[in-house]
Amino acid sequence: MSFVGHDQPWAEWRSALAGPRMHHGWMLAGKRGIGKAGFAMQAARELVAQDGIDQPKGNHPDIIVLSHLPANKEEEKKQEQGKPFQLKRNISVDQIRAMQLRLNTRPTLGSRRVIIIDPADDLEKGASNALLKSLEEPPVGSFFILVTHRPGRLLPTIRSRCRVLSFPPLDDSQLSSVLAQEAPQADAATRAAAIAASGGSPGAALDFVALDLGKLHRLMLEIAQSGDPDFKRRGLLAEAMGARPDRERQLAAVELARAVVAGQMANISPQAIPGLVHTHAELSRLSAQAPTYNYDPGLLVMEIGTLLTTLAASREPAHG
């Protein structure tokens, strides 16, 4: 599988892979939805592959993926049944320790093993400290790939032990090509709005189309630009969100609001800067919490709308 905009990361990865000594720790840094997880899996398969050893097409015994687990036993049952399920808030120290026990054994097929942590941003404190020990003294043949949307959340000591592969946002023409190929059913207006709202992330642009976020986007723009003194727009925003939106739609709404705020930077006045900074910080908090917190969907969308009203308020001229 190939992803648009990954030419430079692949060039750096394969140059290192062809070198005499492959670095043991890698950090894939870039926006959510840019394709880092797919890159990590394909890169891991290239790293563990060895001449003369058949490689499985499905799950690979020498590629360990650590991510959010189901929140509890009930959510595990939902996962097994193929139903939507809630995730734990963090990647736990127990997951890291279980992985470290496997590192005491030899790889199954060849001489290399890869551990992917996705997203490494969500390692709990104890898990980060435990991982650091493995990064400081990695077992022979063990390699770590950390997928991160917000590198600043990682311990500096972890970052210092990893080589960084940066995944820059896609430009509008690249996003247009992705949408033309992956979402040909979208009309021109929807594609244009998806590109504007995506912040350079193809995943976000495709979510915009798949989740039919056009009405949400229009209402968010209206609130950010004109406010909502009578709460009518926030009511319409709640209606557009839906009575029982799934977790994916809730997360997309938060990211969409962040993109709306980012889009206001182009025409911002000095007096609007504090409001924009506050709104972006609060939406970033929601973005970090929404994947694992059990938010009431109605309250979540109302909070998003209220935060966006601060942008309109900050545009009003000071009096006195």
Side-chain angles (χ1 to χ4, degrees):
M1 180 180 294
S2 179
F3 292 88
V4 175
H6 287 187
D7 291 350
Q8 185 58 38
W10 275 124
E12 292 183 37
W13 174 263
R14 288 170 176 156
S15 175
L17 190 59
R21 185 175 180 180
M22 186 70 167
H23 193 70
H24 71 278
W26 292 78
M27 189 167 70
L28 312 187
K31 292 179 67 68
R32 189 187 301 273
I34 207 80
K36 302 185 298 299
F39 182 102
M41 183 58 69
Q42 187 174 339
R45 285 187 171 276
E46 291 188 5
L47 186 52
V48 299
Q50 291 182 247
D51 292 339
I53 300 177
D54 291 336
Q55 302 294 314
K57 293 183 178 179
N59 292 334
H60 197 293
D62 295 324
I63 300 176
I64 303 170
V65 181
L66 302 183
S67 192
H68 293 285
L69 296 175
N72 50 47
K73 296 291 185 181
E74 186 63 30
E75 299 305 316
E76 286 181 12
K77 292 180 181 178
K78 293 180 183 178
Q79 181 188 32
E80 293 168 358
Q81 295 167 357
K83 298 178 180 178
F85 60 95
Q86 294 183 16
L87 299 173
K88 289 186 177 180
R89 186 179 306 176
N90 299 111
I91 298 172
S92 71
V93 65
D94 289 340
Q95 289 175 264
I96 297 297
R97 287 173 177 163
M99 173 271 293
Q100 290 171 328
L101 288 176
R102 290 187 62 180
L103 297 187
N104 293 327
T105 65
R106 292 178 57 83
T108 302
L109 297 181
S111 61
R112 293 174 172 175
R113 176 185 281 132
V114 178
I115 300 91
I116 299 172
I117 302 179
D118 178 21
D121 314 42
D122 292 342
L123 287 164
E124 65 183 24
K125 185 176 179 180
S128 294
N129 291 329
L131 174 64
L132 181 58
K133 295 178 181 179
S134 293
L135 287 172
E136 289 174 335
E137 300 179 6
V140 175
S142 295
F143 300 86
F144 296 84
I145 300 179
L146 311 185
V147 176
T148 174
H149 316 310
R150 296 180 292 274
R153 296 189 65 182
L154 298 181
L155 290 175
T157 44
I158 288 179
R159 298 199 303 267
S160 68
R161 285 165 174 79
C162 293
R163 178 169 170 178
V164 179
L165 284 181
S166 297
F167 292 73
L170 272 60
D171 61 32
D172 288 359
S173 63
Q174 290 173 318
L175 287 169
S176 182
S177 296
V178 170
L179 290 174
Q181 180 176 347
E182 302 294 335
Q185 77 282 3
D187 59 33
T190 299
R191 289 199 301 271
I195 291 171
S198 70
S201 165
L206 290 170
D207 283 346
F208 185 101
V209 174
L211 296 172
D212 191 22
L213 299 178
K215 188 173 183 179
L216 276 175
H217 183 238
R218 176 175 57 77
L219 287 166
M220 287 181 183
L221 285 174
E222 289 180 4
I223 293 171
Q225 294 168 0
S226 304
D228 186 27
D230 55 8
F231 281 82
K232 286 185 178 179
R233 290 192 176 104
R234 271 169 282 188
L236 293 172
L237 192 67
E239 290 179 11
M241 187 73 165
R244 294 183 178 178
D246 58 22
R247 182 61 59 85
E248 184 180 8
R249 188 169 180 82
Q250 293 177 53
L251 294 176
V254 178
E255 293 302 319
L256 183 59
R258 292 180 70 194
V260 167
V261 173
Q264 304 300 304
M265 289 295 295
N267 301 307
I268 193 170
S269 60
Q271 69 266 22
I273 292 177
L276 187 143
V277 170
H278 168 76
T279 301
H280 189 270
E282 288 299 301
L283 287 170
S284 295
R285 175 184 59 80
L286 284 179
S287 178
Q289 295 175 348
T292 51
Y293 279 42
N294 190 24
Y295 279 115
D296 176 272
L299 293 177
L300 177 64
V301 73
M302 291 301 287
E303 182 168 2
I304 291 171
T306 299
L307 286 170
L308 291 174
T309 63
T310 63
L311 298 183
S314 67
R315 296 172 190 273
E316 297 175 359
H319 299 284

